Amino acid sequence: MGILECVLYVFLPTLFGWLFNLCAMYGGAAFGLVYYLMPAVVLFGWFWVGKRFARRMKNPVLAVLAGNSIGFLSLAVYLWQEYLAAEKINWLQQLSQYFSSPLMLLNTRILMPFSAQVDGVTQISNTAIQIVGLILMLLPFIGGFFMEKQKMKMEK
């Protein structure tokens, strides 16, 4: 069950991103609650997934790459669609943003001080949001992984 369990965990942020966007479209007033709670749910959940990966994989580099593979792939697809594709595929570009979309509250707050203002409105680059989102997802995963490795070392 070890590898299959890890494979299933890899898709959790994208699933949460899909639910986040679904709530944004159809949630109405309930979306406000989702908007504020989802970053905590995703980050604590991803920390927990990092701990699970520590129990299943020995190599930290492979664990981080495998655990966040959908995030790296999503960023690559987003960059391809945004900057290299002759014709944009809307559903693919939207799918590539699901990985970090639940962290929109945090991403925008981090990026606002560094973003330009046009006519009094802050313009935040969507590319920057995707990159910061991936970094924010990497941090709790790595923290959970190494915390669990340390705990396992202490148990021996």
Side-chain angles (χ1 to χ4, degrees):
M1 176 73 179
I3 297 298
L4 180 60
E5 176 186 15
C6 289
V7 168
L8 292 175
Y9 289 147
V10 166
F11 292 99
L12 278 178
T14 303
L15 176 64
F16 278 124
W18 177 74
L19 290 172
F20 181 82
N21 287 346
L22 199 63
C23 285
M25 287 190 297
Y26 304 112
F31 176 65
L33 182 63
V34 171
Y35 182 74
Y36 287 103
L37 288 180
M38 191 64 86
V41 169
V42 169
L43 292 176
F44 283 119
W46 209 231
F47 180 83
W48 180 81
V49 169
K51 291 173 71 170
R52 300 298 297 165
F53 265 75
R55 295 264 175 200
R56 303 288 184 244
M57 298 181 82
K58 293 182 195 276
N59 187 330
V61 173
L62 288 177
V64 170
L65 289 175
N68 292 281
S69 59
I70 299 294
F72 290 118
L73 179 64
S74 293
L75 181 61
V77 168
Y78 172 80
L79 293 173
W80 165 59
Q81 282 291 295
E82 189 67 25
Y83 298 108
L84 300 174
E87 291 185 34
K88 293 184 184 358
I89 304 169
N90 289 337
W91 67 268
L92 187 58
Q93 194 169 25
Q94 184 179 6
L95 181 65
S96 71
Q97 295 177 44
Y98 284 163
F99 185 80
S100 62
S101 65
L103 302 176
M104 192 63 65
L105 173 68
L106 299 176
N107 295 347
T108 54
R109 293 197 189 250
I110 290 169
L111 291 168
M112 280 183 77
F114 308 104
S115 300
Q117 285 198 358
V118 177
D119 296 329
V121 178
T122 304
Q123 302 291 313
I124 300 176
S125 164
N126 201 28
T127 303
I129 288 173
Q130 297 306 312
I131 293 169
V132 168
L134 178 59
I135 292 168
L136 286 177
M137 291 298 285
L138 285 169
L139 295 175
F141 186 92
I142 292 169
F145 183 89
F146 285 111
M147 183 177 177
E148 190 66 19
K149 283 292 185 188
Q150 188 68 25
K151 181 179 170 187
M152 288 167 54
K153 191 183 288 186
M154 298 289 237
E155 289 174 353
K156 288 185 179 183

